[in-house]
């Protein structure tokens, strides 16, 4: 107990910079050959952001093209490539690595009180694999791009497409191993690297969420890897098992693809749920309501997530019986997500809620994820989804879950842990403005698409009937607001690096282990091995937080 | 990291900076290897699924393709791999005992068996090349047309003419070749063609040699992808063994520190087990149709 | 001709024009009800909490609440029960949508990049259009010549993928005469968004008239354009600029074009006609022989109109006459050879 409060060090850092992970070595080599999870996380942050920017530019072109009913801004051939590349970059190079590879990498060892992940070299390897996969993909995009849709459906991808399917396929295949290795590292670290006293049920829910995510990464990613490899081999050999002309089966591809890609949806949302659990508990200053239920619902989602892939194929000609079974299981998997939502709301009950930027994002998440989850029920209901599938209803639904869920959670997490990662505070005012803009812009962009979908507007269309233009104009207008909202953090976060106020070690006075070391942390994370004697989310004095001292500090700075 | 790594006192040989003690380290690498193997199972699982789906649909084509594989070579390879698993297990045993000489000897033996396996694989692949059974056009030996042989006219199927000027070769571009349709006839007589086969091998009620050939080609596609990936795993395994050999040579491993030997062994056994599944599926299922 | 109805400035709801559309809509409204029923209390609770329990003192330590088994059970069971009602509702509707009726009239559909080829039991063929009578069950038997497509009619609330190498089925009973959108809903490549058309639902009498062959008051060129752009779907390959897959038609009439194999041919009425009926015979250099034959799908009358329209693309407006004399003044020569050179790893 005593040594803990010593670690937590509430004092404002002196002007003389302490030795931390950022200034411990300045050479390029010290970054490129580092085994420090925090440096790897920062390099991921840069790379993933670059891909996010590229994907965002493609999104802008999509929305501009859809401003008018005719295909006028882009030729259809270009439009097909633009939406495909938007999907591929966003799914494989942004959504999947965003929270696990950046925030997970940075925080997981800190949260469990370890010096590093269990396999630091593997961690660095995963970054290099990500880079190699990314470079191959970018090379293919520069050479001419790919137009199969991010789903690579056969036989279009294997036989008919004239684009760089093979190169992009190999890029995605290689990139898959990056997430496999990350997942592997997390599982091992959570099992063996916990500090003394950090029992399984004292783990922050962020760690539980990453454990569930890692299970999916390890068990799902290899299947899609082999599937995409088969597509590449088929294109090369001009023969194969997905080619109906010789007795192959294009539907088999869909089964193999969605067996991974549906669980991959949970790779994209579970870590976000973990972040939201941390932020809501933190800024309500309350233990999360029903800790065990939130923790096990993550595992339940990961497990059931493997059983529902067929709900992507309700109209693909699979048997009626299979359709009904998948529809039933889809309904079952909705329940753990509902449990989480209720628990998050209940956590705020009788809390002490502050409106800091991360909390604003988290509240936005609750609203958007609610809509995303409920519209998931529309699509799980098999009779209704016959009408809705392959329309803009689907597009709107998964953007509500992926952007409204994962991206918003990612932004909440970045704002929450920014002081820890960089040692600087960002502008609270601009943070709040951007959180509001993102929320408003997002809803304006994607809510009209639900209506468009029910009207029957098919997805992946470069042109559409004129009567649907008004809703598309709303959507494009919203997208520009959303774009501005998303660009603002880039500006004020970079600004904060140079001009931001120095962050205290524990600016929010939260009890997690990551706040009990200096900001930014030293390379070895903790000066001394922490010993955990308090339960998770214990905001009281008994967890060793010196709240009086923090209040004094606030009084001085305000 | 360097500052930290250098100042950290090393309690034991091979203890890495992020761990507190050897126990933690060994537990970590062991869990990591098991998780990796789970990943590998899923990786091969996709291929096994594809195999099962198509064997279910086209059992005769798969039997025909399978019967052309030589179970002698396949069986020999199975034996070789099982023995190599034994030597691998002995490697771990002697590492635990701290017996450097026998450890090195066992590693060398394991590598030897691994190489024999790959050599046999090469012989088999060459055979496929010579018989025009590689499913990629252009990757087969061009076979001179055997005009003298009388059995050409005795073929079991209505053979489509191979066309134009290049009639010196039966497969002028190195195409995949398959002519024997006897199994389809057999199945047709005994009436156990599957629904997919009734569509997949016939044109207007007649056996269509080209359509049957395409299904056999599917078998060989799956055969090459599966055994190819397995062989790739063997090659990686040999690389690991080479590294292990060097480490064992300089005497790294003993009763206190042998985790790398153990997890390399896990990997090696896993690759063996994959073969134990591949051998019957690819070589043996369908042999009863020969008699 | 019947006109698509758009009721309001912002369309919120598609027309309901099949026998099971109301079931899908009821399910939709039920789900909206459920969604609103969850959203309002949750959002209200969030706002209530963040106002009522806002931070009053910096770094306060509110009392701990660990959770409540009763609440957890309640909010696990209620969503589960509701989700089961949604599942059952969906299953019932799905059963109606996909159980093929016995007494339906048959229509055969072949998808092809990027057109729908439709044949009626009585022999009529159409492209990108489907004429059906009101109040009769119609069963579509579908397949495709190339990639996946999806036959989707939003006004009927149904769709089904069209899969190469196998048949898939779709049925509906139209309840309201009108003109409804037909989409390809499964991404199928370059001109995916052009693979659209209309379903015409007609009164039984009108339908019989249509079966007899209908008379229109259009000029041959207008009629030809209608055939070219809509009914036969020629435009899906023969327009589009650099990426188009079919030979360029503008300004070719009266000129010589090079064929695959090196010959040259004069583009006149006879050549155009032959190319429509037997496309593979004389393919213009630089293009693949991928065009399907239209023999049996176009009447002689329609052929004349088509030829007239194609001629009008070269500035020749006379509907008859031999062009062998003066070459057309319009164009700058053929564009053959510039298409289909897109890079790729094939």
């Amino acid at each position: 107990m005593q040594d803990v409060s010593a670690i937590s060090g509430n004092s404002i850092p002196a002007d003389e910079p302490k030795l931390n992970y950022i200034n411990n070595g300045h050479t390029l080599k010290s970054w490129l050959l580092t085994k420090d999870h925090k440096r790897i996380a920062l390099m991921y942050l840069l790379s993933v952001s670059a891909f996010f920017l590229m994907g965002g530019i493609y999104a802008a072109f999509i929305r501009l093209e859809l401003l008018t009913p005719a295909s006028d801004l882009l030729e259809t051939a270009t439009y097909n490539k633009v939406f495909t590349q938007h999907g591929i970059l966003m799914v494989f190079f942004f959504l999947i690595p965003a929270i696990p590879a950046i925030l997970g990498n940075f925080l997981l060892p800190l949260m469990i009180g370890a010096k590093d992940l269990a396999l630091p070299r593997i961690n660095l390897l995963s970054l290099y694999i990500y880079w190699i996969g990314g470079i191959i993909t970018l090379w293919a995009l520069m050479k001419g791009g790919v137009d199969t849709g991010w789903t690579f459906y056969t036989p279009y991808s294997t036989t008919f497409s004239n684009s760089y399917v093979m190169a992009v396929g190999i890029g995605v295949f290689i990139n898959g191993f990056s997430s496999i290795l990350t997942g592997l590292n997390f599982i091992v670290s959570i099992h063996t690297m916990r500090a003394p006293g950090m029992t399984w049920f004292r783990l922050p829910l962020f760690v539980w969420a990453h454990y569930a995510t890692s299970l999916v990464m390890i068990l799902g990613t290899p299947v899609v890897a082999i599937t995409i490899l088969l597509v590449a081999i088929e294109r090369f050999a001009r023969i194969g098992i997905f080619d109906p002309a010789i007795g192959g089966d294009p539907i088999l591809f869909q089964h193999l693809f969605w067996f991974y890609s549906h669980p991959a949806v949970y790779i994209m949302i579970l870590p976000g749920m973990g972040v939201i659990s941390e932020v809501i508990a933190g800024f309500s200053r309350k233990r999360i309501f029903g800790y065990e239920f939130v923790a096990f619902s993550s595992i339940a989602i990961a497990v059931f997530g493997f059983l529902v892939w067929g709900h992507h194929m309700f109209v693909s000609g699979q048997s009626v019986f299979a359709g009904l079974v998948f529809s039933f299981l889809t309904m079952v998997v909705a329940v753990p997500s509902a449990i989480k939502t209720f628990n998050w709301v209940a956590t705020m009950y009788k809390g002490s809620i502050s409106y800091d930027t991360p909390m604003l994002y988290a509240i936005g998440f609750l609203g958007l994820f609610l809509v995303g989850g409920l519209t998931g029920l529309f699509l799980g209901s098999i009779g209704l989804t016959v009408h809705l599938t392959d329309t803009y209803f689907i597009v709107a639904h998964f953007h509500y879950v992926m952007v409204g869920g994962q991206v918003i959670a990612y932004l909440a997490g970045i704002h929450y842990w920014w002081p820890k990662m960089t040692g600087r505070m960002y502008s609270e005012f601009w943070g709040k403005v951007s959180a509001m803009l993102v929320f408003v812009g997002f809803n304006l962009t994607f809510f009209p698409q639900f209506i468009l979908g029910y009207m029957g507007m098919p997805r992946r269309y470069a042109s559409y009937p004129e009567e649907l233009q008004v809703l598309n104009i709303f959507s494009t207008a919203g997208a520009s607001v959303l774009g501005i909202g998303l660009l603002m953090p880039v500006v004020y976060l970079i600004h904060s690096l140079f001009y931001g106020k120095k962050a205290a070690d524990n600016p929010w006075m939260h009890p997690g282990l990551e706040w009990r070391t200096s900001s930014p942390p030293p390379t070895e994370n903790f000066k001394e091995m922490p010993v955990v004697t308090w339960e998770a989310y214990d905001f009281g004095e008994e967890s060793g937080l010196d709240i009086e001292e923090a209040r004094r500090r606030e009084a001085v700075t305000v | 990291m360097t500052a930290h790594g250098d100042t950290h006192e090393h309690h034991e040989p091979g203890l890495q900076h992020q761990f507190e003690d050897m126990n933690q380290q060994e537990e970590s690498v062991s869990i990591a290897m098991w998780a990796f193997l789970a990943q590998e199972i899923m990786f091969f699982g996709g291929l096994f699924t594809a195999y099962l789906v198509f064997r279910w649909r086209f059992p005769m084509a798969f039997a025909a393709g399978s019967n052309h594989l030589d179970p002698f070579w396949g069986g020999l390879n199975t034996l070789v791999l099982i023995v190599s698993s034994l030597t691998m297990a002995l490697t771990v045993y002697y590492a635990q005992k701290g017996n450097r000489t026998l450890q090195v000897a066992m590693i060398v033996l394991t590598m030897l068996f691994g190489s024999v396996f790959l050599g046999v694989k090469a012989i088999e692949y060459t055979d496929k090349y010579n018989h025009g059974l590689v499913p990629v056009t252009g990757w087969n030996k061009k076979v001179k047309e055997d005009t003298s042989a009388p059995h050409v006219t005795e073929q079991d199927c209505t053979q489509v003419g191979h066309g134009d000027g290049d009639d010196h070769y039966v497969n002028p571009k190195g195409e995949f070749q398959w002519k024997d349709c006897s199994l389809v006839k057999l199945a047709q007589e005994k009436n156990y063609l599957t629904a997919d086969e009734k569509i997949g091998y016939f044109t207007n009620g007649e056996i269509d040699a080209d359509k049957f050939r395409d299904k056999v080609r599917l078998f060989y596609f799956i055969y090459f992808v599966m055994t190819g990936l397995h062989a790739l795993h063997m090659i990686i395994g040999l690389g690991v063994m080479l590294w292990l050999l060097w480490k064992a040579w300089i005497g790294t491993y003993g009763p206190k520190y042998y985790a790398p030997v153990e997890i390399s062994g896990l990997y090696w056994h896993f690759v063996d087990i994959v073969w134990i599944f591949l051998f019957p599926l690819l070589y043996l299922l369908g042999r009863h149709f020969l008699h | 001709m019947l006109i698509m109805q758009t009721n309001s400035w912002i369309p919120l709801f598609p027309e309901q024009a099949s026998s099971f559309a109301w079931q899908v809509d009821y399910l939709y409204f039920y789900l909206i009800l459920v969604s609103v029923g969850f959203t309002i209390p949750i959002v209200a609770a969030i706002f209530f909490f963040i106002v009522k329990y806002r931070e009053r003192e910096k770094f306060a330590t509110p009392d701990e609440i660990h959770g409540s088994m009763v609440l957890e059970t309640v909010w696990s069971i209620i969503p589960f029960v509701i989700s089961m009602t949604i599942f059952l509702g969906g299953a019932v509707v799905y059963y109606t949508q996909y159980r093929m009726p016995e007494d339906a009239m048959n229509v055969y559909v072949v998808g092809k990049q990027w057109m729908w080829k439709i044949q009626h039991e009585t022999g009529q063929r159409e492209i990108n259009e489907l004429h059906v009578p009101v109040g009769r069950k119609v069963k579509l038997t579908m397949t495709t010549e190339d990639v996946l497509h999806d036959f989707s009619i939003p006004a009927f609330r149904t769709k089904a993928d069209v899969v190469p190498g196998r048949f898939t089925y779709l049925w509906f009973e139209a309840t309201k005469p009108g003109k409804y959108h037909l989409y390809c809903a499964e991404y199928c490549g370059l001109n995916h968004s052009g693979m659209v058309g209309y379903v015409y639902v007609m009164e039984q009498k009108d339908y019989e008239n249509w079966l007899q062959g209908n008379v229109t008051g259009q000029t041959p060129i207008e009629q030809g354009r209608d055939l070219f752009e809509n009914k036969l779907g020629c435009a899906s390959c023969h327009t589009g600029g650099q990426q188009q897959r079919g030979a360029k038609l503008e300004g070719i009439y009266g000129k010589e074009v090079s064929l695959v194999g090196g010959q040259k041919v004069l583009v006149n009425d006879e050549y155009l006609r032959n190319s429509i009926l037997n496309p593979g015979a004389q393919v213009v250099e630089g293009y693949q022989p991928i065009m399907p034959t239209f023999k049996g799908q176009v009447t002689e009358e329609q052929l004349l109109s088509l030829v007239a329209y194609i001629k009008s693309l070269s500035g020749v407006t006379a509907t008859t006459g031999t062009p062998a004399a003066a070459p057309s003044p319009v164009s700058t020569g053929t564009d053959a050879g510039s298409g289909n050179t897109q890079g790729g790893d094939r």
Side-chain angles (χ1 to χ4, degrees), chain C residues 148-198:
Chain C
L148 296 169
H149 301 284
D150 186 296
F151 198 87
S152 161
I153 312 161
F156 295 170
R157 310 285 190 277
T158 191
K159 65 162 68 77
D161 276 11
V162 182
V163 183
R166 63 168 79 169
F167 292 112
T168 53
Y169 307 92
L170 186 69
W171 84 275
F172 56 82
E173 180 187 331
T175 52
K176 197 162 123 189
K179 179 185 177 189
Y180 305 106
H181 281 294
L182 157 66
Y183 298 115
C184 172
E186 186 66 79
Y187 177 66
C188 60
L190 177 64
N191 212 0
H192 171 53
S193 49
M195 194 167 164
V196 296
Y198 290 102

Side-chain angles (χ1 to χ4, degrees), chain A residues 147 343 353 355 389 454 461, chain C residues 25 50 55 72 159 184 187:
Chain A
D147 69 345
N343 279 301
I353 301 168
Y355 306 153
T389 192
Y454 204 73
Y461 263 33
Chain C
D25 290 340
I50 62 176
E55 184 178 59
E72 299 285 354
K159 65 162 68 77
C184 172
Y187 177 66

